[in-house]
Amino acid sequence: QVRLVESGGGSVQAGGSLRLSCAASGFTSSRNCMGWFRQIPGKEREGVAVVDSDGKTTYEDSVKGRFTASQDNGKNTLYLQMASLKPEDTAMYYCAAKVGGCSWLLRLKYYDYNYWGQGTQVTVSS
């Protein structure tokens, strides 16, 4: 059973930085798609960044140039380095995964992922 555990959330002021981590276990294949999503109450969960098994990354437009997703395959850990944080980045952040490569069309869509972590809260104050 795939298990994802996030850590690293917290509260920062606008312009600050945070790094999220997602420890993954239980994969039986080395070809997986992993990503970060976020959600605020009453809104749909949105894709932030995904990393394919070949290391290719895809970002949602509003975080390009500010967020960097990376994967340490040796440690089975996914990271999200967030810089120049804005109040609108405030959300619950979730790690997600699916077996197989990332879908070209659906890679930032939450419904394309099978496995989810419990979430970690990020709060950015102005």
Side-chain angles (χ1 to χ4, degrees), residues 22 33-37 48-51 78 94-97 107 113 116:
C22 172
C33 177
M34 295 188 69
W36 291 99
F37 289 73
V48 176
V50 297
V51 182
L78 180 72
Y94 297 90
C95 177
R107 58 181 58 206
Y113 292 79
W116 294 88

Side-chain angles (χ1 to χ4, degrees), residues 10-26:
S11 297
V12 294
Q13 291 193 320
S17 300
L18 280 174
R19 187 174 86 154
L20 306 183
S21 299
C22 172
S25 61

Side-chain angles (χ1 to χ4, degrees), residues 10-126:
S11 297
V12 294
Q13 291 193 320
S17 300
L18 280 174
R19 187 174 86 154
L20 306 183
S21 299
C22 172
S25 61
F27 284 120
T28 57
S29 169
S30 60
R31 186 167 180 259
N32 305 298
C33 177
M34 295 188 69
W36 291 99
F37 289 73
R38 64 186 179 187
Q39 189 172 24
I40 59 175
K43 293 215 170 179
E44 185 174 284
R45 192 169 294 189
E46 67 170 0
V48 176
V50 297
V51 182
D52 210 336
S53 54
D54 61 1
K56 178 179 171 61
T57 54
T58 304
Y59 298 95
E60 190 269 329
D61 286 346
S62 71
V63 307
K64 285 179 181 176
R66 300 188 299 121
F67 290 11
T68 303
S70 60
Q71 192 168 20
D72 183 338
N73 290 323
K75 295 183 180 179
N76 291 327
T77 303
L78 180 72
Y79 301 99
L80 184 67
Q81 180 67 49
M82 304 184 292
S84 303
L85 282 161
K86 304 176 181 180
E88 52 263 43
D89 294 318
T90 295
M92 183 72 80
Y93 282 70
Y94 297 90
C95 177
K98 60 172 286 187
V99 175
C102 296
S103 165
W104 178 247
L105 290 177
L106 303 178
R107 58 181 58 206
L108 288 175
K109 300 298 185 182
Y110 71 90
Y111 45 79
D112 202 45
Y113 292 79
N114 308 105
Y115 305 103
W116 294 88
Q118 80 286 355
T120 186
Q121 178 68 37
V122 171
T123 303
V124 185
S125 58
S126 57

